Amino acid sequence: MIVVLAELDFAPADAQQAAAALARLAQDTRREPGCLEYAIALDLDEPGRLRLSELWSDRAALDAHFKTAHMADFRARVAPLRRLRTSARVVEATKISDLFAPAPNGGD
């Protein structure tokens, strides 16, 4: 599995427009083969910062995502906006488990 953690910093005046473009992208992305999770959040501490967390079945699915029409549409929508910084990290994960799963004997 592939985990993507990204931050997109836009000028605060452009953040809502960028968030709308990301929300549109997310709708189509979540229907892609191999997309297990795609979440967007506005950072409460950094005006203009949008955070993405993504979970993909494998690298091939993520690579295919970057070639989709909806990704091209997103790029076109945010091109006129003032993007200040982009950071994206990829993590290869071998196992995911529930952090708060109940103990086998029913206790916490």
Side-chain angles (χ1 to χ4, degrees):
M1 283 179 281
I2 301 294
V3 178
V4 177
L5 302 171
E7 296 176 350
L8 306 174
D9 289 357
F10 289 89
D14 291 340
Q16 287 301 323
Q17 196 172 347
L22 269 172
R24 185 174 178 162
L25 172 67
Q27 289 177 345
D28 291 327
T29 299
R30 290 180 186 122
R31 290 191 287 267
E32 286 182 46
C35 180
L36 306 175
E37 184 177 319
Y38 196 91
I40 305 163
L42 290 170
D43 191 301
L44 299 178
D45 295 323
E46 293 291 332
R49 178 169 292 165
L50 298 160
R51 293 183 177 272
L52 292 168
S53 59
E54 308 171 29
L55 181 60
W56 295 87
S57 59
D58 53 40
R59 186 61 190 235
L62 177 60
D63 290 345
H65 163 67
F66 290 116
K67 298 174 185 172
T68 62
H70 50 270
M71 190 66 188
D73 179 66
F74 167 74
R75 288 184 183 116
R77 289 177 180 279
V78 298
L81 304 180
R82 292 167 290 166
R83 190 180 320 187
L84 307 175
R85 183 182 74 92
T86 299
S87 169
R89 295 172 289 162
V90 176
V91 178
E92 294 183 30
T94 57
K95 179 182 176 183
I96 295 178
S97 57
D98 187 343
L99 181 62
F100 300 108
N105 63 1
D108 288 332

